[in-house]
Amino acid sequence: MSRTTTGALAALGAALLLGGATAQAAHAETEQLGGLPLPTTHLQPTDAKQALGGTTAGLGHAVAPVKDLRLDPWANSSADLLNNGVAVVPDNGLGPVGTGTLTAPLSAGGGAKNLPLAGPLLTALPI
């Protein structure tokens, strides 16, 4: 076959395919199923308030387990590494500074919401 014959056959095949598709579409537009209105392809307007409310509710239920998740698996056991603390007493008369205030919520079996700095931030999340 030559290039012109191949091109003519391709054009004829495309015309047949497109002609059949448009005939089916015209037939589908005039036919109603059981007296129901025809479906449309137009999107409905989005209600931003409902969308935000649904997202917030879904996010709250997804984040709630993370806030209560126990971060130290060995909490309240003899193998707990966070149970050991280090304290330093500065020479300039200030009180002792130690790691116990940061690790105590975790070594007691608490979650992320019990941490000194992260806990108040997590309260901003829903639920």
Side-chain angles (χ1 to χ4, degrees):
M1 275 196 208
S2 69
R3 286 187 178 181
T4 56
T5 308
T6 307
L9 285 175
L12 179 63
L16 287 174
L17 286 175
L18 292 176
T22 56
Q24 287 176 355
H27 176 68
E29 287 178 9
T30 59
E31 182 180 330
Q32 285 188 348
L33 299 175
L36 296 175
L38 294 173
T40 61
T41 57
H42 302 289
L43 296 175
Q44 298 296 324
T46 303
D47 186 7
K49 185 177 179 181
Q50 285 184 347
L52 183 61
T55 303
T56 305
L59 180 66
H61 292 292
V63 171
V66 174
K67 290 164 61 173
D68 295 328
L69 182 67
R70 187 172 167 176
L71 297 178
D72 185 12
W74 296 301
N76 296 326
S77 71
S78 60
D80 187 13
L81 298 174
L82 296 176
N83 220 1
N84 300 328
V86 177
V88 177
V89 179
D91 288 339
N92 60 1
L94 295 175
V97 178
T99 60
T101 56
L102 293 175
T103 60
L106 295 178
S107 65
K113 68 179 181 179
N114 300 110
L115 293 174
L117 297 176
L121 293 176
L122 287 176
T123 58
L125 295 174
I127 294 185

